Amino acid sequence: MSRPAFLFLSALRTKSQDRRSVRLAGMGVRAVALLGLLAGCQSHSGGLVVRPTPKTVLYSYVIANGMARGRLMSDRVTVGEYMRILQSDREALTAIMQLRDRPSNENLNKAGQRVEDFISLINSPPAVVTPDNIQASAPPEPGPVMRIVH
């Protein structure tokens, strides 16, 4: 089957136009890449800024509370650490309740800071346990039990 000659002639005529359009497209891609690099240099390096909301503070507290429970259950915690964790938990919860009752930017920042303090306390390394420290862990398993039979 033969093709009409005008199809081949038109292909030859547009070949130079195709090269020019490919060249222009390549220059366009390079220009966009260069502008992207320049825009990246102009942005500030402050990182991601997340503004707290009452919901994010409450969610963070719930997560931190679970972290505290995990720490208390898995590690050997001294009585002093146990009391500091409980106190920090109470302070964070009190600040969140105050935010709920009297919403303001000041109370929002205060609640966020208390939750951050709570998380940092939970993530701090455990204290060195010595025989002198009183442990707040489960007592050792009891020994054999004497049974009295009548």
Side-chain angles (χ1 to χ4, degrees):
M1 186 164 135
S2 69
R3 298 189 184 236
F6 68 88
L7 289 177
F8 294 111
L9 292 175
S10 64
L12 290 175
R13 275 185 263 154
T14 59
K15 193 169 188 174
S16 63
Q17 291 174 348
D18 286 342
R19 283 186 189 163
R20 190 177 327 145
S21 66
V22 168
R23 201 173 326 137
L24 287 174
M27 286 175 34
V29 168
R30 280 185 237 129
V32 168
L34 181 62
L35 287 174
L37 289 174
L38 289 175
C41 293
Q42 294 298 317
S43 66
H44 57 69
S45 62
L48 179 64
V49 177
V50 178
R51 289 180 176 72
T53 65
K55 286 184 180 183
T56 59
V57 171
L58 181 61
Y59 181 75
S60 298
Y61 169 76
V62 169
I63 297 298
N65 193 278
M67 291 167 58
R69 288 179 186 205
R71 170 131 184 222
L72 294 175
M73 290 172 55
S74 65
D75 290 340
R76 297 187 73 180
V77 180
T78 64
V79 173
E81 287 175 316
Y82 187 82
M83 296 308 291
R84 281 191 298 277
I85 289 173
L86 288 179
Q87 182 64 33
S88 183
D89 180 27
R90 182 170 296 256
E91 289 172 0
L93 184 58
T94 302
I96 288 171
M97 299 305 275
Q98 191 172 19
L99 174 63
R100 182 197 65 180
D101 296 339
R102 285 176 250 131
S104 69
N105 284 335
E106 181 182 344
N107 286 341
L108 178 63
N109 292 334
K110 186 177 180 181
Q113 186 60 50
R114 294 290 183 263
V115 171
E116 285 180 26
D117 294 343
F118 184 38
I119 292 171
S120 68
L121 180 64
I122 295 165
N123 286 331
S124 64
V128 177
V129 178
T130 63
D132 298 333
N133 284 350
I134 300 172
Q135 298 296 314
S137 59
E141 291 186 27
V145 178
M146 182 188 305
R147 294 185 185 183
I148 299 174
V149 180
H150 293 284

